[in-house]
Amino acid sequence: MKRQFISRIKWLLIVPAILLFVHCSGPKRVKFPIPVDTKNKPIDLQIKKSYAFEDLGVWVSNEFDGARLNGAQKLNDSTIILRFEPENTPINKSPYYGFKVWSDSPKQTYFLFDYPEGFDHRYKPKRKEDGKWSEIDSLDLAETESGMILKLNLSREPIIVAGQEINNSKDVQEWYREDVVGNRDFVREGSVGQTELGRNIPVLDIYHGNVTGKPIIVLMTRQHPPEVTGYFAFQNFLTTLVDQSELSTQFLNKYRVLVFPIMNPDGVDLGHWRHNANGVDLNRDWSKYRQPEIKNVVGHLLRTSKESMGEIILGLDFHSTYEDVFYTNEIREGTSLPHFIDDWFELLEQNIAGYKVNEAASNSTRPVSKGWFLYGHNAVGITYEIGDHTPRERIAEIGATSAQAMMNVLLENK
């Protein structure tokens, strides 16, 4: 009995030590002035189904990745009410929607958008027909006391309507494999792990020659699912980095770029307004890494930096908001690139006709990525935001030119 008692005491002492070791062996946490609770929160999954209105000869469906539709009911002989709800609350007031609609014969049908109380319409609807996206004519939209009403001319050919062009995890994978990886042996596709629902979190590792000691630049996007205008800028930025021009070749001889083309594939495919499958805003988890997406990405960045003896010097996180803006940290002196932001913005204004950089500088108080780069690595962190309604051609120009400017500034950096 005495031996059993001693054995149990030893075990009770060992277990906490093991747990402490496991806890401490994870990625190093970064402190922020204002902590945010990023523990798992319940979500409401939309029911995947096709809503049949046979007396109208109309069908509405959310049975595809990236859709968002929580209910549909007939209002009258020409109008269907569509219900859109967030995955959970509290959440930002930016309702997202995505649905497919068709009819048994050509007809005009109206759709009334119904959001929960306190949520107003944000995204101008886009339509995908014959494989192409376009903006819906403003003449087919009407703001009423009951909400936004959309008029559509339907046929047997389905139309997809969404707040922004849908780019789900499969679309993203097809894009980077074709337009970024391709036959480029200097672009290496990998994975940092899986999400809560088992989706892949991809990473692209880009450099020429010997990797040892190369400074590291980090690019990421789609922490927030509907923010696709930032993703479009990211696409043009990244394809410019790998275009095999003289500038690109010189740059990748000196620097290494780690790229995360879809940070929140669960949220994207589930049609979430903002959060991941655990109901959490990933861009508030850059302190304690409670969510698998951030934990896996941070772990990969830290291991890669240590193994290659490459310092993380710059992080760009691509998002979308109401207007084009760069969120920066005020702390510059003493960082890895104290003059980068000013030099970069100066080149942007020189090389884009009529362009004026909209900068909002403040040191991160909550656990966001740009603060993680600053407080955790003394690196430059920037949240790169593109406006919801910035013209697509302008987005392409800004994305490509900002990549060229970044490469030029960093090549001049000694």
Side-chain angles (χ1 to χ4, degrees), residues 162-200:
Q164 293 286 22
E165 297 92 324
I166 290 173
N167 283 264
N168 59 37
S169 63
K170 182 180 178 181
D171 297 327
V172 172
Q173 182 185 75
E174 289 177 352
W175 167 74
Y176 69 69
R177 284 185 172 174
E178 181 175 347
D179 290 2
V180 181
V181 180
N183 59 1
R184 299 175 176 90
D185 59 3
F186 60 92
V187 181
R188 304 151 187 86
E189 179 185 352
S191 173
V192 301
Q194 294 184 328
T195 65
E196 181 70 19
L197 300 182
R199 289 181 174 86
N200 178 50

Side-chain angles (χ1 to χ4, degrees), residues 222-284:
R222 300 300 290 281
Q223 290 201 72
H224 300 147
E227 298 183 6
V228 298
T229 54
Y231 170 68
F232 293 154
F234 165 89
Q235 287 182 303
N236 288 281
F237 191 103
L238 183 53
T239 53
T240 303
L241 285 187
V242 300
D243 67 6
Q244 297 176 281
S245 64
E246 182 179 351
L247 176 62
S248 168
T249 302
Q250 290 179 0
F251 180 76
L252 294 175
N253 280 333
K254 182 175 180 181
Y255 293 96
R256 181 182 193 177
V257 185
L258 292 174
V259 180
F260 301 92
I262 184 165
M263 290 283 292
N264 187 3
D266 284 351
V268 168
D269 287 356
L270 291 171
H272 281 186
W273 292 16
R274 190 171 181 88
H275 300 157
N276 71 346
N278 289 327
V280 174
D281 183 341
L282 293 184
N283 204 29
R284 299 296 183 272

Side-chain angles (χ1 to χ4, degrees), residues 215-217 251 254-255 311-316 329 331-344 374 377-382 406 409-414:
I216 295 171
I217 292 95
F251 180 76
K254 182 175 180 181
Y255 293 96
E311 178 188 7
I312 296 172
I313 61 169
L314 173 64
L316 301 180
N329 289 304
I331 297 173
R332 310 280 171 88
E333 293 301 322
T335 63
S336 54
L337 300 167
H339 306 295
F340 171 79
I341 291 174
D342 291 338
D343 294 343
W344 189 41
L374 175 64
H377 298 275
N378 202 34
V380 174
I382 300 172
M406 181 199 74
V409 170
L410 291 182
L411 283 172
E412 292 176 2
N413 182 65
K414 304 300 182 183

Side-chain angles (χ1 to χ4, degrees), residues 105-137:
S105 62
K107 64 188 59 178
Q108 190 175 92
T109 306
Y110 294 87
F111 297 90
L112 173 62
F113 286 29
D114 180 28
Y115 302 124
E117 185 177 356
F119 290 92
D120 296 321
H121 186 72
R122 170 175 172 176
Y123 297 110
K124 292 181 180 179
K126 319 292 186 301
R127 63 187 291 162
K128 185 179 184 182
E129 199 167 13
D130 299 326
K132 295 182 179 180
W133 284 98
S134 62
E135 283 202 7
I136 288 177
D137 195 309

